[in-house]
Amino acid sequence: MAFERASGILLHPTSLPSRGGIGDFGPAAYKFVEWLAAANQTLWQVLPLNPTGMGNSPYSATSAFAGNPLLISLEILADQGWISKDRLIRLPLPRGRSDFGWAYQAKLPLLREAAQNFLNGAENKDGFYRFCLENAWWLEDFVQFDLLRRRHNGAAWTTWEDALKRRNPKALEAFSRECRTELDVDRALQYAFWQQWKALHEKCHGHGIKIMGDIAIFVNFDSADVWAHPEIFQLDQNLNPTAVSGVPPDFFSATGQRWGNPLYNWQALRARKYEWWVQRMRWATQACDYIRLDHFRGYEAYWQIPAKDETAINGKWMEGPKGALFDQLASALGDLPFIAEDLGLITEGVTALREHYGMPGMRILQFGWSDKGAHIYLPHRFEKNTVVYTGTHDNNTTLGWWKGCTSEKEKQMVRCYLRPADDGVVWAFIRAALTSVADLAIFPMQDVLELDTEARMNTPSAPEGNWSWRYTEEQLKPELADKLARMTEITDRVPVHATTRPENRETNRGTATAP
């Protein structure tokens, strides 16, 4: 599908300055949408919204379909009568980094209390019953998995008693009867999540803003997906992986990277006409307008590592589904609103696959200044069908990169090519992205705020300290919106149908209200 020339901001909802330990879909999210509109931005890119597993990474989820309940706004639930506002007094003010530990210990119990109140007291639950019926195909697997996981103190599903591990129908039926109330609470939380996300999504559309979501190619082994569908993964008779994901040794690592996700049984998936993938992508395209396909290379060929190995050295390349998967998706879904994450060492086959389906690739400005032949990341080498970023969630902030990760030679190249103005190197990068021929230009919020390394979202391979950055309410300044709005307009990145014109910026800054 064709992408209009536009620009936007990369910001995960957990980075919003919400009350409750981490960012959520509450008032701060609506204020951010108002700010985007005032800044003439028509894209909001988020990371995966699924429930997180180890390390709180949005790319390490316990379900490919469920929403992370911590993103539910208790303030909106209180406005809707699910919980008394007096119960929210203990919610901390939105200061400092996200505190996932506090959110799990204090916010999640309040969310469950609110869900129980709704189940006990709501006069009209037709919407909830309809949600449960229409989404039973993923919802029942998830709520059963999530509750069983809690009952087993977080232990992996392969350690559960055999009848539950192997999904014996009688055992699952008995469990569902015994735990009906708790399962209903989990269903109600998923209902609340998707209702709030739908309302926020509609708010974005009201301002001409589209949401770009993110799909990780692999899923966690300890997830509802593998537990419910072991036949579509490479598992042995004991339901343990026979091979896992990763990437081969390269310049950055002599032993490669062993990610550890189970690999798909693509032959079994093909026999089923890729039904699970069609369901996954249909769900994703209902939740978001565009989808970034993480690790796009894996659809053409993936690195298969023996599960018993501790490193990626002994892996080998295996053919992915290639066009067969995308043909099936196109047949089922029509236009494919996909953006291919094609960073790193990309083969001609990967490029051909992406181009055949008209998917834009990605270019990162921070990568363009090396003397190792990375000049495809400089604007004069871009094609129209491209998404340019100053950096991504895996990069240092542009200011942090400039101050701590560049050589003097690289700095000289930047100064020669970009000629930074009085407002500094970060805005020079933003200007370079906006003025480029690339159809889409996206900036992490940290770069718009000109923040240093302490605002970095993720350092790949670092086990701790990731995913917790948040901005403060005071940082979301109108003058920043004005500056970005002018630059966006002059570089022809305001679509003609957008509702946010420069003369309307003042009204767009009105007080945000939740649905």
Side-chain angles (χ1 to χ4, degrees), residues 5 31 41 79 109 157 185 199 248 273 359 395 441 450 492 499:
R5 187 171 172 83
K31 290 179 182 178
Q41 301 307 291
D79 289 339
W157 61 271
V185 166
K273 296 184 177 180
M359 300 179 200
N395 293 105
E450 294 186 87
D492 298 323
T499 61

Side-chain angles (χ1 to χ4, degrees), residues 108-403:
L108 192 55
L110 288 174
L111 288 168
R112 295 191 184 285
E113 177 184 328
Q116 187 64 67
N117 292 340
F118 165 77
L119 293 167
N120 291 342
E123 293 183 4
N124 186 348
K125 301 189 193 59
D126 289 349
F128 169 65
Y129 295 138
R130 186 166 54 251
F131 170 83
C132 293
L133 181 64
E134 292 175 351
N135 297 287
W137 55 273
W138 66 264
L139 181 62
E140 292 309 297
D141 291 333
F142 172 71
V143 296
Q144 288 176 347
F145 174 84
D146 199 53
L147 182 54
L148 280 166
R149 197 165 178 262
R150 298 200 304 271
R151 288 286 184 92
H152 289 84
N153 296 316
W157 61 271
T158 47
T159 67
W160 303 347
E161 47 268 57
D162 202 62
L164 293 173
K165 178 175 76 172
R166 297 186 180 275
R167 294 176 56 84
N168 177 280
K170 290 185 177 180
L172 285 181
E173 184 180 352
F175 171 75
S176 295
R177 280 199 309 269
E178 175 193 347
C179 304
R180 185 180 64 181
T181 300
E182 290 176 272
L183 291 171
D184 271 343
V185 166
D186 285 342
R187 294 183 186 105
L189 287 178
Q190 288 301 305
Y191 172 65
F193 175 95
W194 289 110
Q195 288 296 106
Q196 288 192 10
W197 176 246
K198 180 182 178 183
L200 185 58
H201 197 178
E202 289 175 352
K203 175 73 172 181
C204 289
H205 282 182
H207 284 292
I209 296 167
K210 293 183 177 180
I211 298 285
M212 185 190 300
D214 199 325
I215 293 291
I217 183 173
F218 299 118
V219 298
N220 262 6
F221 175 63
D222 192 21
S223 67
D225 310 290
V226 184
W227 176 65
H229 304 285
E231 69 282 356
I232 65 172
F233 296 92
Q234 297 183 30
L235 307 181
D236 62 21
Q237 291 184 344
N238 294 319
L239 300 179
N240 291 310
T242 58
V244 296
S245 65
V247 289
D250 57 18
F251 174 80
F252 299 101
S253 172
T255 59
Q257 296 180 43
R258 185 189 185 279
W259 296 338
N261 309 85
L263 296 174
Y264 297 103
N265 182 338
W266 287 114
Q267 185 175 357
L269 281 161
R270 183 183 308 189
R272 296 168 177 231
K273 296 184 177 180
Y274 301 101
E275 179 185 19
W276 184 85
W277 272 96
V278 170
Q279 290 175 325
R280 187 183 189 192
M281 291 305 185
R282 180 180 285 117
W283 187 244
T285 54
Q286 289 172 353
C288 301
D289 302 293
Y290 302 144
I291 303 295
R292 173 187 177 272
L293 298 180
D294 192 42
H295 194 57
F296 181 75
R297 175 172 187 155
Y299 295 97
E300 199 273 339
Y302 58 92
W303 191 246
Q304 178 178 282
I305 305 166
K308 60 181 175 53
D309 287 10
E310 295 183 359
T311 73
I313 291 178
N314 296 320
K316 58 182 178 180
W317 287 111
M318 301 294 291
E319 283 196 2
K322 300 184 179 179
L325 170 62
F326 293 107
D327 286 344
Q328 192 66 47
L329 292 173
S331 175
L333 306 178
D335 287 340
L336 302 179
F338 296 154
I339 291 159
E341 185 272 287
D342 58 346
L343 306 176
L345 295 174
I346 298 301
T347 66
E348 291 181 3
V350 177
T351 300
L353 180 66
R354 177 183 64 77
E355 291 180 345
H356 179 76
Y357 294 95
M359 300 179 200
M362 289 174 53
R363 293 293 179 263
I364 312 299
L365 285 179
Q366 287 184 23
F367 292 171
W369 314 100
S370 167
D371 57 3
K372 299 178 176 62
H375 300 304
I376 62 168
Y377 293 102
L378 292 181
H380 66 273
R381 297 285 298 276
F382 292 172
E383 300 174 351
K384 271 182 87 293
N385 197 32
T386 298
V387 187
V388 56
Y389 293 77
T390 51
T392 73
H393 61 276
D394 284 333
N395 293 105
N396 202 340
T397 67
T398 296
L399 182 61
W401 169 85
W402 176 253
K403 291 171 65 174

Side-chain angles (χ1 to χ4, degrees), residues 387-424:
V387 187
V388 56
Y389 293 77
T390 51
T392 73
H393 61 276
D394 284 333
N395 293 105
N396 202 340
T397 67
T398 296
L399 182 61
W401 169 85
W402 176 253
K403 291 171 65 174
C405 304
T406 54
S407 66
E408 187 54 40
K409 181 178 179 180
E410 289 169 326
K411 283 183 167 65
Q412 289 175 1
M413 292 174 65
V414 171
R415 293 187 184 105
C416 177
Y417 191 98
L418 295 183
R419 297 188 177 279
D422 292 341
D423 54 0

